[in-house]
Amino acid sequence: MESVNRAAWSLEPKGDLKLSAAPYSPPSGNELVIKNYAVAIQPLDANIRGRAYLDLPYPFILGNGVAGVVEEVGSSVTKFKKGDRVVSDTPAYHQKIAKYGGWQKYVVSTEATTSKIPAATTFEDAAAIPFALLTAVAALSLKLGMERPGSHQEGRVLIWSASGSVGAYAVQYASSVGYDVVATASPGKFDYVRSLGASEVVDYRDEQAVSKLKALGPYKFVMTASGDAAGAHAISDILQPEGGVFASTRPQSEEMHLADNVELLYDYYSMATQKPENAAFSKWWYEEYLPVALAGGVTPTPLEKRAGGLSGIQNACEDIINGRSPKKLVLNPQEDGE
């Protein structure tokens, strides 16, 4: 008997979500169907819904990170079977096909972008961790060329805005590679950022922040997890007189005025594993790094489980866009009423 599926549909750009039936799509050869028990609402999701950041074929089902139980596997799938607990990054935004959208009860994803969830890890943590963690690791490893954990590297790394989800995971990743991490945060977050592996933390609002951070350098790698103009300007100054490159979670904007010898590097880091040219990185990510991370290899950033299932997604999106929740918001689509 075919499972009954429901979704939170985006009917038009910037429009309100509508709960209604959705097709149950059987998996093709390399695909699997996941009974979806947790979705984490990412800033990217909230902005695509509320501000139409991507050109999508509406009506569409948003969301690309899910955690749940394998319902069905395609004929060529060998790593997973019905009943496995998994976390998956679907190609919803890459392929722009609604069956991959995470905001539904039964989601189609690909074997290559799926990992098993360790027994002691909740669906909520499994859904909340990967997006921000992948953003941090892809920026540092793929874009900047940082080595992998356990390689015992030496030198210093600067992580600007280290107390948010991406920044916190960037600190942990750089520290696991062996680097001495210098970070910025507000004073109330100093102890938290140090607990993640930073050896020095500077208040980004300190008038002497640039000079203090410059004195703590030089840095082999630099990343800003906030992506704002003020942080970019500070990093541009810190990198003088030699100049250099740094990774940012936002593209360079007109309000940014960087030195001629400084380059800002940006990409859709959270979609890195969807790109064929990153196949080797993706294999390492899903088969080696992510399972260890989910099993306790990283300290999860705070999350809040919201009630309401699919019907609670729109409010969660609005809370994220308006800065009303510092935590990662997670909902269970199976809780939604028929």
Side-chain angles (χ1 to χ4, degrees), residues 108-119:
V108 179
S109 193
T110 63
E111 180 179 36
T113 59
T114 301
S115 286
K116 288 184 180 179
I117 300 174

Side-chain angles (χ1 to χ4, degrees), residues 81-93:
K81 65 183 186 303
K82 180 178 173 65
D84 283 345
R85 300 170 73 247
V86 296
V87 59
S88 189
D89 296 309
T90 80
Y93 299 143

Side-chain angles (χ1 to χ4, degrees), residues 58 78 96 101 156 160-161 175 201 206 222 264 267 300 307:
Y58 294 92
T78 60
K96 300 184 179 181
R156 284 198 157 176
W160 186 277
S161 191
S175 179
V201 189
D206 186 337
V222 180
L264 181 155
D267 204 343

